[in-house]
Amino acid sequence: MTEEHQRICLVHYHEIGLKGRNRANFENRLLKNIESIVVDYPVVTIHRIAGRLCVFLREGTDRATALDLTETLKVIPGVARVSCGFKCDRDLEEMGSVAVSALAECEDFETFKVHARRNHTDFETDSMEMNRIIGGYLCDAFPDKGVKMKDPDITVGVEVVQNAVYIYARSVRGVGGLPVGSSGRVVCLLSSGIDSPVALWRLARRGAECVGVHFSGRPQTADTSEYLVDDIAHVLEKSGCVARVYIVAFGDYQKEIMLKVPPSLRVIMYRRLMFKVAEEIAKRERAGALVTGESLGQVASQTLDNIRATDQSVDIPVFRPLIGTDKLDIIAEAQRLGSFDISSQDAPDCCTLFMPRNPETHARLRDVLKAEESLPIDAWVKELADAAEPHDYACASYKPPKHVVNASED
Ligand code: ATP
Ligand code: MG
């Protein structure tokens, strides 16, 4: 029966705060983002229908592909819910049999109800009547299942629009948030650790375009961490959450700091230089803030005093979305995101390089600034930003800065 009917996925989004022009921008942005992410699926077209986006699948697409597509769609920022179903004609008998097919594809349920909507009153049967008629077909087809009005296991959705009807039963929650590209651009300090990919993802979910900066220990260490960061970026790319990652070879500069700065202040110095380079890249990228994966008290450098000492090195706002999050919760989020296994691999990066035995936990700004005076910081920042190597990922809204960022490239 269902072979005759075109499969669809309906993408629902929260409508709070979406008014006027804002709403059209949001919908267009989400539609473009989805289009760029589903390129490998048999998608015919995507349309805005009755306050939802409807993804139309090629005739004959099988159930497994539709389910797989649902999993891909639900992690895209801005998607509140994804429902899987079929398109059919505005004919009650046909609607009844398609509803049966849709419900037959659901597993593990005991109770259901029908929720019908009419977007055009030119369809003569009203929604109450549709609920009753289609409910009747379902009760006949599933005699051992029960109808339940409050909190049923499955709600069979029936949406009647101008020329067609969309019917679905399987429905999963999405990540919510806003479509990437609707909240400006940020630069994320991306290590190959567990925390920073989660921090980046949180900003992407709020609609920010994310450009990563990774400081590798090269040439003083191997480039393993760069490969891990690339693997992490590929995971984030699946939901359109990362646009570009700059790799900065930081090893030689750390060595200079190590030779000139007292051991207790070295970590702060490394971090201040990282922030300044990230700020310079943010200027070139026209990004409005930096993002880090710091969590209060998690490691020696993440005390209030040290956070203040690193913050003071830049003028741009620094966001720390994980500052009040426990490690176990961050780990759970990294597992959901799919970055955890990559982040758990060991790789030397600039954090493990030249680490003093007892790093300062309460750096005094005065001491830090004094130590910094002996270093050509401004020249280093320019050199490092010029030499930063950009790697691009699929992010539909992103347009790279016009001027040549990497002056050493031909
Ligand atoms: P993560 O798991 O994100 O590496 P962490 O718990 O190891 O964090 P730190 O090493 O103190 O903590 O790093 C704090 C934050 O500084 C990171 O979340 C990240 O935003 C930034 N950072 C640390 N190392 C690097 C690096 N090599 N390149 C870019 N950013 C870094
Ligand atoms: Mg780390």
Side-chain angles (χ1 to χ4, degrees):
M1 179 71 61
T2 53
E3 270 83 85
E4 299 162 19
H5 293 105
Q6 183 173 24
R7 283 187 187 270
I8 49 119
C9 283
L10 277 185
V11 174
H12 313 245
Y13 38 84
H14 292 306
E15 296 175 31
I16 304 162
L18 294 179
K19 294 203 183 81
R21 224 166 68 85
N22 199 7
R23 183 191 175 106
N25 288 345
F26 176 102
E27 288 169 335
N28 288 337
R29 191 64 273 152
L30 184 60
L31 194 151
K32 292 230 156 56
N33 292 356
I34 290 176
E35 255 172 10
S36 76
I37 289 168
V38 302
V39 281
D40 294 332
Y41 288 91
V43 170
V44 185
T45 180
I46 307 175
H47 281 158
R48 229 211 85 204
I49 287 167
R52 318 198 183 313
L53 295 178
C54 187
V55 181
F56 294 88
L57 290 161
R58 203 176 295 148
E59 304 281 342
T61 300
D62 60 13
R63 173 173 182 256
T65 307
L67 292 186
D68 197 64
L69 174 62
T70 311
E71 296 302 302
T72 299
L73 291 170
K74 77 177 189 192
V75 295
I76 299 175
V79 174
R81 180 162 285 282
V82 184
S83 307
C84 244
F86 303 94
K87 177 185 174 189
C88 73
D89 287 335
R90 302 195 335 170
D91 172 274
L92 283 167
E93 200 181 323
E94 189 179 334
M95 286 157 67
S97 86
V98 170
V100 169
S101 306
L103 190 56
E105 292 198 344
C106 294
E107 291 133 9
D108 294 337
F109 74 98
E110 290 308 319
T111 56
F112 68 90
K113 75 170 178 189
V114 179
H115 180 73
R117 287 206 314 173
R118 268 193 313 182
N119 284 89
H120 272 264
T121 40
D122 63 347
F123 189 66
E124 59 285 356
T125 318
D126 71 15
S127 42
M128 294 291 281
E129 189 65 2
M130 278 196 279
N131 287 345
R132 204 184 53 72
I133 296 172
I134 294 167
Y137 281 98
L138 293 172
C139 288
D140 289 348
F142 300 91
D144 52 341
K145 308 288 182 188
V147 173
K148 194 171 168 221
M149 287 304 148
K150 195 165 181 288
D151 295 327
D153 296 333
I154 306 276
T155 298
V156 178
V158 177
E159 313 228 350
V160 180
V161 297
Q162 207 164 13
N163 303 310
V165 182
Y166 303 99
I167 297 180
Y168 54 87
R170 197 175 178 280
S171 188
V172 294
R173 230 179 119 166
V175 289
L178 301 167
V180 168
S182 58
S183 309
R185 189 176 293 176
V186 294
V187 162
C188 304
L189 283 93
L190 198 57
S191 71
S192 59
I194 294 165
D195 307 331
S196 43
V198 174
L200 179 152
W201 181 80
R202 289 220 186 156
L203 267 289
R205 191 173 74 151
R206 292 306 305 160
E209 262 174 20
C210 295
V211 171
V213 179
H214 174 66
F215 295 89
S216 102
R218 187 159 50 94
Q220 302 288 336
T221 63
D223 52 7
T224 325
S225 72
E226 298 172 24
Y227 286 98
L228 292 182
V229 166
D230 180 55
D231 287 348
I232 290 170
H234 277 116
V235 170
L236 293 162
E237 185 184 31
K238 285 190 210 156
S239 49
C241 287
V242 65
R244 166 177 272 205
V245 175
Y246 287 93
I247 303 287
V248 179
F250 199 54
D252 287 344
Y253 295 79
Q254 272 186 284
K255 192 169 172 192
E256 281 292 306
I257 294 175
M258 193 258 304
L259 294 172
K260 293 203 173 112
V261 171
S264 64
L265 292 179
R266 276 177 207 158
V267 177
I268 292 287
M269 285 319 220
Y270 301 153
R271 293 189 63 76
R272 282 173 63 94
L273 184 57
M274 287 182 357
F275 271 48
K276 282 172 185 280
V277 173
E279 182 186 41
E280 176 61 25
I281 290 175
K283 275 187 197 148
R284 298 178 184 196
E285 285 279 341
R286 299 191 189 288
L290 302 185
V291 179
T292 80
E294 287 160 296
S295 163
L296 190 62
Q298 199 191 78
V299 291
S301 62
Q302 299 176 14
T303 61
L304 284 179
D305 286 332
N306 288 6
I307 285 174
R308 177 159 169 266
T310 42
D311 253 14
Q312 192 273 341
S313 66
V314 293
D315 292 325
I316 192 170
V318 181
F319 296 154
R320 296 178 170 83
L322 306 181
I323 197 70
T325 311
D326 269 6
K327 191 74 184 186
L328 286 180
D329 294 330
I330 300 173
I331 288 174
E333 214 168 309
Q335 281 166 332
R336 280 198 297 278
L337 188 60
S339 59
F340 180 76
D341 290 343
I342 307 168
S343 295
S344 305
Q345 297 174 46
D346 264 345
D349 68 358
C350 68
C351 292
T352 46
L353 187 62
F354 307 128
M355 282 302 267
R357 207 162 297 159
N358 296 307
E360 183 60 75
T361 48
H362 299 284
R364 281 200 319 192
L365 201 52
R366 204 183 330 142
D367 301 337
V368 173
L369 293 176
K370 182 140 187 21
E372 218 170 60
E373 274 171 16
S374 62
L375 306 171
I377 296 290
D378 291 346
W380 282 1
V381 169
K382 185 170 183 316
E383 264 168 46
L384 283 162
D386 284 348
E389 304 146 24
H391 296 255
D392 285 321
Y393 300 89
C395 174
S397 65
Y398 178 76
K399 292 192 182 55
K402 287 218 174 63
H403 67 273
V404 181
V405 169
N406 190 345
S408 61
E409 267 184 0
D410 33 313

